């Protein structure tokens, strides 16, 4: 039986080493195209290619649904991989060490974001990984100092009232941060290092949150919209999440 989680852990370790080459490339931040309303840089494309080639070397037949190219389908796929090659690309460009690769694996006949069999969110600056299989979630790497009085918040200027209403549910004094990588931010909350994550701009896509949503649910956290409904989406293509995304611990 194929251990998808172990394959993803090995992939993340090799990609972590490869990132040193990408960071040294002065052209890595150059914009080379646009997809799904976002920019695509050389670094994004190189990481996407690395992942695709790694799957091939591993003997896996994988259809990739990816932020950069949309769909990469070799035919006769056994699995679907929903991939954000570089979540936090603006941080990468500015030299801020908070960006990740996010990969969620599904059977080829799956259709829902919450049907993932395994996945990983890997911090590409520290090597720390948040991964899961069908039953459990795992956190590897150095754990930061506990700081659960932090709220990770994303909202537009005309949404201040809504943001304040969401944050008012936090019962003790807290700090607000906007770190810039949805998959890492969500994983940080579900590791217990922050109190709350929310993004009410309706700009997130399934590739941004597929792995982190499944990691969080296995950690006992809720990933819901403003009406407390579980966030879900198709995995057939890159699509925008049309609802608010809120991550909190189950009561």
């Amino acid at each position: 039986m194929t251990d998808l989680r172990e394959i993803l852990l090995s992939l993340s370790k090799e990609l972590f080493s490869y990132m040193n080459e990408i960071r040294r490339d002065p052209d890595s931040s150059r914009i080379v195209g646009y997809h799904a309303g976002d920019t695509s840089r050389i670094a994004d494309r190189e990481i996407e290619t690395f992942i695709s080639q790694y799957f091939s070397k591993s003997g896996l037949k994988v259809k990739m649904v990816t932020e950069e190219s949309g769909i990469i389908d070799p035919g006769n796929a056994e699995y679907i991989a929903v991939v954000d090659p570089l979540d936090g690309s603006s941080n990468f460009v500015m030299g801020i060490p908070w960006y990740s690769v996010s990969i969620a694996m599904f059977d080829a006949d799956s259709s829902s974001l919450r049907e993932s069999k395994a996945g990983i969110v890997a911090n590409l600056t520290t090597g720390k990984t948040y991964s899961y299989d069908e039953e459990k979630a795992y956190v590897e790497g150095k754990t930061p100092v506990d700081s659960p009085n932090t709220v990770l918040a994303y909202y537009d200027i005309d949404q201040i009232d809504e943001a304040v209403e969401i944050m008012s549910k936090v019962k003790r004094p807290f700090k607000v941060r906007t770190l810039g990588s949805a998959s890492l931010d969500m994983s940080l909350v579900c590791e217990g290092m922050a109190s709350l994550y929310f993004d009410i701009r309706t700009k997130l896509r399934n590739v941004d949150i597929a792995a982190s949503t499944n990691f969080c649910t296995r950690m006992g956290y809720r990933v819901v919209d403003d009406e407390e409904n579980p966030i879900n989406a198709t995995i057939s293509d890159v699509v925008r999440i049309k609802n608010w995304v809120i991550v909190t611990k189950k009561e």
Side-chain angles (χ1 to χ4, degrees):
M1 183 177 178
T2 303
D3 191 331
L4 294 175
R5 176 175 165 269
E6 285 299 323
I7 290 173
L8 294 175
L9 286 170
S10 296
L11 187 161
S12 72
K13 289 177 182 177
E14 292 197 21
L15 179 55
F16 179 67
S17 298
Y18 180 55
M19 283 302 298
N20 289 326
E21 295 182 30
I22 294 177
R23 280 188 285 264
R24 286 195 297 266
D25 181 357
D27 289 330
S28 61
S29 298
R30 182 162 56 86
I31 296 174
V32 291
Y34 299 87
H35 180 73
D38 203 355
T39 56
S40 183
R41 303 177 187 274
I42 286 179
D44 297 296
R45 296 286 178 86
E46 289 184 345
I47 296 170
E48 179 185 79
T49 299
F50 180 95
I51 294 169
S52 178
Q53 291 177 346
Y54 192 92
F55 284 147
S56 295
K57 287 191 302 181
S58 300
L60 297 181
K61 295 180 180 179
V62 179
K63 172 185 174 182
M64 289 175 56
V65 178
T66 170
E67 182 179 39
E68 307 313 317
S69 299
I71 296 176
I72 302 174
D73 190 354
N76 299 316
E78 303 169 289
Y79 301 102
I80 298 171
V82 178
V83 180
D84 188 345
L86 186 57
D87 182 14
S89 55
S90 293
N91 287 348
F92 172 80
V93 171
M94 293 186 289
I96 298 172
W98 190 254
Y99 46 88
S100 68
V101 61
S102 172
I103 307 172
M105 302 294 295
F106 302 80
D107 282 329
D109 59 355
S110 297
S111 59
S112 166
L113 181 144
R114 288 181 175 261
E115 296 174 353
S116 179
K117 295 176 68 68
I120 193 167
V121 175
N123 187 320
L124 293 176
T125 64
T126 66
K128 183 170 182 174
T129 59
Y130 305 88
S131 63
Y132 61 89
D133 54 28
E134 291 187 88
E135 297 180 356
K136 294 175 59 179
Y138 309 82
V139 180
E140 282 106 0
K142 185 178 180 181
T143 301
V145 176
D146 184 22
S147 57
N149 62 331
T150 302
V151 171
L152 308 179
Y154 296 79
Y155 53 92
D156 291 326
I157 189 66
D158 60 349
Q159 296 177 307
I160 291 176
D161 290 343
E162 292 93 333
V164 169
E165 182 179 353
I166 294 171
M167 290 187 284
S168 68
K169 298 176 183 178
V170 179
K171 301 301 183 183
R172 59 177 178 167
F174 57 87
K175 300 174 182 178
V176 178
R177 295 290 184 269
T178 302
L179 302 180
S181 172
S183 61
L184 281 179
D185 290 6
M186 290 172 64
S187 299
L188 201 66
V189 170
C190 299
E191 184 191 2
M193 295 294 107
S195 303
L196 171 69
Y197 167 92
F198 68 89
D199 190 328
I200 61 176
R201 301 169 300 167
T202 64
K203 293 181 179 180
L204 291 173
R205 290 151 298 186
N206 54 349
V207 292
D208 298 318
I209 66 168
S212 51
T213 294
N214 283 279
F215 171 80
C216 285
T217 55
R218 287 162 176 77
M219 289 290 283
Y221 281 71
R222 301 183 308 143
V223 183
V224 298
D225 62 20
D226 56 314
E227 296 183 350
E228 302 288 320
N229 298 312
I231 290 293
N232 208 347
T234 180
I235 58 170
S236 61
D237 202 347
V238 179
V239 297
R240 193 172 298 279
I241 306 296
K242 297 180 180 179
N243 305 96
W244 294 4
V245 177
I246 305 171
V247 181
T248 60
K249 192 169 181 62
K250 291 180 180 178
E251 299 295 337

